[in-house]
């Protein structure tokens, strides 16, 4: 199949392209560096010509509610509308486990993305995944200063490559609404993972965990980001990923 990958140059997108190629499909990368702008719609019609499915793993680096909602609502609408014109049969969107239980601005954008996709012009599937193994390191990089203050949250991190493999499996299978969510094999506290990343990188940076105020903080600390019963459980643990992902082994 010819399968377009929105956000195909990003962390997860690169894994998705590799997984599709390994499975014998022809991936088409949708990204601004390839002349496609999801928000304006520029280049979408040409890029989707001949595509039978679209996997959307595009993202925006923001915690703001307004920017998140605008990006995901606009880009998903454009993908669905251009997909209909091109004869695309399946739109597969990546979302987040617990997105409907934790009231963060970014998550409101993801919830809106799910709604637009499932009600859009192309039959759709939503796959919710837990945070990636890279999540702790990404947060550390965004926090300035000698001390890293991170939110307390219970998570079951998953390998991005395993999520990509699941997306590559689901795309040719056809639309199914909400797919079985995918999660990592072990539960952790985010701050503990961040401390392991710091040690693995040979640094001495204190990491302090604080509970965010309000309902969102309570939900994150009490397990709102954990998968429910029946989730597909991946195999690569955080410690095994850490050996290869951070130290380069």
């Amino acid at each position: 199949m010819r399968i377009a990958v929105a956000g195909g140059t990003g962390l997860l997108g690169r894994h998705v392209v590799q997984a599709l190629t390994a499975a014998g499909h022809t991936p088409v990368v949708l990204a601004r560096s390839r002349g496609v702008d999801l928000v304006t719609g520029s280049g979408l019609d040409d890029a989707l010509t001949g595509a039978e499915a679209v996997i959307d793993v595009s993202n925006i680096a923001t915690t703001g509610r307004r920017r998140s909602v605008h990006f995901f609502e606009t880009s998903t609408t454009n993908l669905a509308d251009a997909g209909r014109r091109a004869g695309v049969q399946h739109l597969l969107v990546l979302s987040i486990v617990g997105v409907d239980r934790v009231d963060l601005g970014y998550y409101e954008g993801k919830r809106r993305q799910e709604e637009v996709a499932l009600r859009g012009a192309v039959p759709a599937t939503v796959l919710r995944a837990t945070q990636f193994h890279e999540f702790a390191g990404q947060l550390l990089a965004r926090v300035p200063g000698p001390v890293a203050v991170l939110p307390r949250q219970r998570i079951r991190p998953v390998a991005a490559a395993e999520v990509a493999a699941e997306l590559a499996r689901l795309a040719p299978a056809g639309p199914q609404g909400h797919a079985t969510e995918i999660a990592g094999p072990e539960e952790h506290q985010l701050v503990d993972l961040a401390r392991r990343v710091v040690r693995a990188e040979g640094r001495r940076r204190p990491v302090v965990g604080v509970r965010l105020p309000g309902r969102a903080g309570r939900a994150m600390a009490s397990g709102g980001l954990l998968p429910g019963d029946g989730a597909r459980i991946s195999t690569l643990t955080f410690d095994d990923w850490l050996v290869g992902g951070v130290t380069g082994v």
Side-chain angles (χ1 to χ4, degrees):
M1 291 180 64
R2 184 176 178 87
I3 301 176
V5 183
T9 58
L11 166 67
L12 180 60
R14 293 192 298 271
H15 284 293
V16 172
V17 169
Q18 292 172 2
L20 290 172
T21 302
H25 302 295
T26 302
V28 178
V29 174
L30 309 181
R32 280 183 293 180
S33 62
R34 306 294 178 90
V36 178
D37 191 313
L38 299 178
V39 175
T40 66
S42 175
L44 262 179
D45 286 323
D46 289 340
L48 290 181
T49 300
E52 299 169 76
V54 176
I55 299 174
D56 185 8
V57 293
S58 62
N59 199 17
I60 182 173
T62 183
T63 57
R65 192 177 307 268
R66 181 176 298 180
R67 287 189 64 202
S68 178
V69 170
H70 172 71
F71 173 80
F72 287 113
E73 181 176 56
T74 304
S75 62
T76 307
T77 298
N78 287 339
L79 273 174
D81 289 347
R84 175 185 52 79
R85 293 191 294 269
V88 170
Q89 300 298 306
H90 185 197
L91 172 59
L92 174 56
V93 172
L94 180 71
S95 191
I96 305 169
V97 168
V99 73
D100 51 349
R101 298 188 295 267
V102 178
D103 188 25
L104 295 175
Y106 174 77
Y107 282 14
E108 184 168 332
K110 295 298 290 183
R111 290 194 296 270
R112 183 60 183 146
Q113 180 187 33
E114 291 186 5
E115 294 170 0
V116 171
L118 293 173
R119 297 176 183 173
V122 173
T125 300
V126 171
L127 173 66
R128 291 179 177 179
T130 54
Q131 289 72 23
F132 301 148
H133 288 322
E134 290 86 355
F135 183 57
Q138 290 171 336
L139 287 183
L140 285 170
R142 296 173 191 165
V143 177
V147 177
V149 180
L150 301 183
R152 287 200 169 276
Q153 53 182 264
R154 296 165 58 194
I155 61 174
R156 285 187 68 156
V158 63
E162 291 184 282
V163 175
E166 180 67 356
L167 289 166
R169 184 187 72 84
L170 288 170
Q176 55 182 279
H178 278 283
T180 300
E181 59 191 18
I182 184 170
E186 299 172 333
E187 180 182 333
H188 296 277
Q189 281 285 347
L190 172 63
V191 292
D192 294 336
L193 300 187
R195 289 167 183 149
R196 293 186 203 178
V197 171
V198 169
R199 289 195 298 269
E201 294 177 341
R203 295 187 293 158
R204 294 185 177 180
R205 187 185 187 193
V207 179
V208 178
V210 298
R211 198 179 86 172
L212 295 180
R215 290 181 299 174
R218 289 193 298 272
M220 292 163 66
S222 63
L225 297 175
L226 298 178
D229 295 336
R232 182 181 296 272
I233 304 302
S234 64
T235 59
L236 186 67
T237 67
F238 181 83
D239 286 338
D240 287 342
W241 168 84
L242 191 61
V243 172
V246 174
T247 65
V249 174

